[in-house]
Amino acid sequence: MAKGRIEINEDHCKGCSLCVIACPQNVIELATDRVNAKGYYPAMLVDPEGNCTGCAICAVACPDVCITVYRQVPVKASSAAAAL
Amino acid sequence: MATTAMVEEKVVYQRPESLESIPTHYCPGCTHGVAHRLVAEVLDELGVRERTIGVSPVGCSVFAYKYFNTDGAEAAHGRAPAMATGIKRIMPDRVVFTYQGDGDLAAIGIAEIVHAATRGENFTTIFINNAIYGMTGGQMAPTTLPGQRTTSSPVGRDVELTGFPIRMAELLSGAPGAAYVVRRSLHNVKEINRAKRAIKTAFEVQLAGLGFSMVELLSACPTGWKVTPPEAMDWIEQQMVPYYPLGDYKIADGVEQLAKRR
């Protein structure tokens, strides 16, 4: 399972590809089959092997603040017990 | 005891509260967006959003007051430092910053910024240097590099005719009232993170009342330079950084203690 994932706000994305070149795992691509409301090819996460680590480097590079980054973190034993 | 380790999903990056959730009008790959985000993140981290007043310039970033979720004012071309001076003197408890491009700060507004720095006005300036007039169609700016092609220097900037590009950080570091003057770049993630630390220090300098602070940011204008966004980042690194060296140009007494305290 991937350690992280990103959500991209496609309507804010301008397809500049800076996240694509910044991503150390090469799991971001520009869409080729659709454009957003402004006519740009939006970036998207393509991660079938689950390589995304949730490092947030893409989000730091993004000039349009479209990327929200999530990371899977282990639940501490005490809070896991509390949840049960 | 379950055999699979329990994990929960944590948000590690999201839009800062100090930035409105609207798309910007900037071109694809323009690093104005990065600079806006860094300022917004710093305002969030310092917890001063509710008492911050930004002063927008004229230029591409003319609508900056719409994008920051803070109070804002719009100054006449180049006069943001004069307006910020007035706001800060009347309301010294507010956090005041100007956000200016090179056409605004280094050309028409150079008198205002030099005198604001010399007087040691206690506000922060974010100076975006992209070596071109972006909004009006990519004309030569005071910061345009020697030999750089623009719409008004189509065979490249001729320094015999138009002189040399101006280095604002070096110039303002000579102002007695300036407390913190540095230059950073936005061309890769490492430099973006360094730029954010500098912006944070600049605002902390203001909060400590040490005087004028400015962060110059080398920024990309892919449209004006007529290159793709990734090429623009390479262009900053290869062309701009050698002429505009990154570094700290003025660190007044008291600023280093601020950084240590953090």
Side-chain angles (χ1 to χ4, degrees):
Chain A
M1 196 175 83
K3 287 186 218 148
R5 68 183 176 90
I6 59 171
E7 272 174 12
I8 296 174
N9 182 342
E10 292 200 353
D11 284 336
H12 286 203
C13 179
K14 295 170 185 160
C16 70
S17 79
L18 293 180
C19 57
V20 177
I21 60 168
C23 177
Q25 301 291 335
N26 297 316
V27 291
I28 307 176
E29 292 176 11
L30 294 189
T32 52
D33 58 342
R34 64 182 188 282
V35 292
N36 65 13
K38 285 198 165 188
Y40 296 118
Y41 292 111
M44 57 182 185
L45 179 70
V46 181
D47 190 18
E49 293 171 12
N51 289 331
C52 178
T53 61
C55 66
I57 284 176
C58 53
V60 174
C62 176
D64 292 290
V65 206
C66 334
I67 305 179
T68 307
V69 183
Y70 302 87
R71 193 181 298 161
Q72 309 294 331
V73 291
V75 180
K76 286 196 184 106
S78 56
S79 58
L84 293 172
Chain B
M1 199 70 189
T3 49
T4 53
M6 285 188 69
V7 292
E8 64 180 350
E9 192 165 70
K10 203 172 90 180
V11 177
V12 288
Y13 191 88
Q14 62 186 343
R15 176 178 277 269
E17 193 188 4
S18 297
L19 207 58
E20 294 281 1
S21 185
I22 50 173
T24 63
H25 70 286
Y26 300 120
C27 303
C30 171
T31 43
H32 264 306
V34 176
H36 280 30
R37 193 190 68 221
L38 297 183
V39 172
E41 287 176 5
V42 166
L43 295 177
D44 277 11
E45 287 172 18
L46 294 174
V48 295
R49 183 182 70 82
E50 293 282 348
R51 57 184 179 107
T52 297
I53 303 173
V55 183
S56 303
V58 171
C60 284
S61 47
V62 63
F63 296 126
Y65 61 86
K66 280 204 314 192
Y67 300 140
F68 288 112
N69 188 12
T70 64
D71 285 333
E74 170 62 52
H77 201 355
R79 274 68 198 189
M83 191 177 243
T85 298
I87 293 170
K88 187 73 183 183
R89 287 190 177 200
I90 296 297
M91 294 180 282
D93 59 322
R94 300 299 202 279
V95 177
V96 180
F97 73 95
T98 71
Y99 185 101
Q100 300 178 263
D102 47 3
D104 190 78
L105 182 143
I108 192 169
I110 195 164
E112 278 73 13
I113 195 69
V114 167
H115 285 286
T118 306
R119 293 191 306 266
E121 297 295 343
N122 192 28
F123 63 82
T124 301
T125 290
I126 309 297
F127 169 40
I128 305 296
N129 178 359
N130 59 9
I132 208 160
Y133 277 96
M135 184 178 83
T136 49
Q139 288 85 3
M140 187 180 77
T143 46
T144 294
L145 296 177
Q148 183 185 341
R149 289 184 180 197
T150 68
T151 50
S152 56
S153 60
V155 293
R157 179 173 186 165
D158 177 4
V159 294
E160 298 283 321
L161 184 68
T162 57
F164 289 91
I166 190 162
R167 295 184 174 115
M168 286 307 298
E170 286 88 330
L171 178 74
L172 293 179
S173 68
Y180 184 71
V181 177
V182 300
R183 182 184 289 122
R184 297 288 186 267
S185 178
L186 299 174
H187 67 268
N188 62 32
V189 170
K190 182 183 157 202
E191 295 298 336
I192 290 171
N193 287 331
R194 288 188 69 221
K196 182 179 168 185
R197 286 197 292 277
I199 293 170
K200 191 164 188 181
T201 305
F203 277 98
E204 285 173 337
V205 165
Q206 179 183 161
L207 288 168
L210 297 177
F212 177 79
S213 53
M214 181 182 87
V215 181
E216 174 174 346
L217 297 169
L218 302 184
S219 190
C221 181
T223 304
W225 301 347
K226 300 185 176 20
V227 294
T228 65
E231 286 167 357
M233 301 303 151
D234 294 341
W235 198 86
I236 294 179
E237 188 172 9
Q238 290 157 15
Q239 307 291 328
M240 285 187 82
V241 173
Y243 192 88
Y244 297 109
L246 308 181
D248 302 343
Y249 289 92
K250 179 81 178 275
I251 307 281
D253 297 341
V255 175
E256 282 184 21
Q257 282 87 326
L258 283 178
K260 272 184 206 147
R261 209 169 57 199
R262 198 189 306 151

